[in-house]
Amino acid sequence: MSVRTKFYLDKRNGKFMGVLAGIADYFGVDVLWVRLGFMATMFFVFPPVFFMYFVAAWVADRKPDALYQDSPEEQKFYATLRTSPKRTIRDTHSMFRDVDRRLQDVEAYVTSSNSRLSSEIDALR
């Protein structure tokens, strides 16, 4: 399992122990919705949820500082990777297939016996 797809306590973005911010980061959702869901659950089922929160805070590792240095694009990519790895792989494969197809088109155009292209290249020299 990659470091990026593991659950970590996100103490930098957390309010108390970083458990809810870690859950939000792991599932790629806004931390506000996780906090609201947690408060609603605490209202109805207090003891088990309260206990599970502290167990998660005690058992989980702290998020490494190296993961905080990503650009927003990388953070978005890894959030989608965590929520749907198969879809991310499929989309990445599709992008590479499209780039390969376009590169083949450019290669075919450049290596063709296009006299107009040859004359334009000779004019640049």
Side-chain angles (χ1 to χ4, degrees):
M1 180 179 264
S2 173
V3 172
R4 300 210 178 256
T5 59
K6 186 177 175 188
F7 171 73
Y8 289 110
L9 298 176
D10 191 359
K11 294 192 178 207
R12 186 173 286 183
N13 297 321
K15 295 290 183 191
F16 181 55
M17 294 180 139
V19 175
L20 300 179
I23 291 171
D25 184 48
Y26 183 78
F27 288 108
V29 296
D30 189 23
V31 72
L32 173 69
W33 295 113
V34 174
R35 289 179 181 144
L36 289 174
F38 178 76
M39 295 307 285
T41 308
M42 284 283 287
F43 182 72
F44 293 110
V45 195
F46 178 71
V49 174
F50 188 72
F51 177 72
M52 287 188 311
Y53 182 88
F54 284 104
V55 167
W58 181 58
V59 172
D61 296 327
R62 186 179 176 157
K63 187 174 183 179
D65 290 334
L67 295 180
Y68 286 109
Q69 299 171 355
D70 294 337
S71 67
E73 294 84 23
E74 287 183 18
Q75 289 176 353
K76 182 179 177 185
F77 171 76
Y78 287 115
T80 59
L81 180 63
R82 279 191 294 270
T83 56
S84 178
K86 289 182 181 179
R87 180 179 173 203
T88 304
I89 291 170
R90 186 182 65 234
D91 291 346
T92 304
H93 182 66
S94 174
M95 284 186 339
F96 278 118
R97 216 178 14 222
D98 185 49
V99 167
D100 188 43
R101 182 192 52 79
R102 290 178 13 210
L103 185 60
Q104 287 175 354
D105 291 345
V106 168
E107 185 177 301
Y109 183 76
V110 170
T111 58
S112 70
S113 61
N114 188 346
S115 60
R116 185 174 146 243
L117 178 63
S118 297
S119 63
E120 286 180 17
I121 291 174
D122 289 336
L124 293 174
R125 292 181 185 174

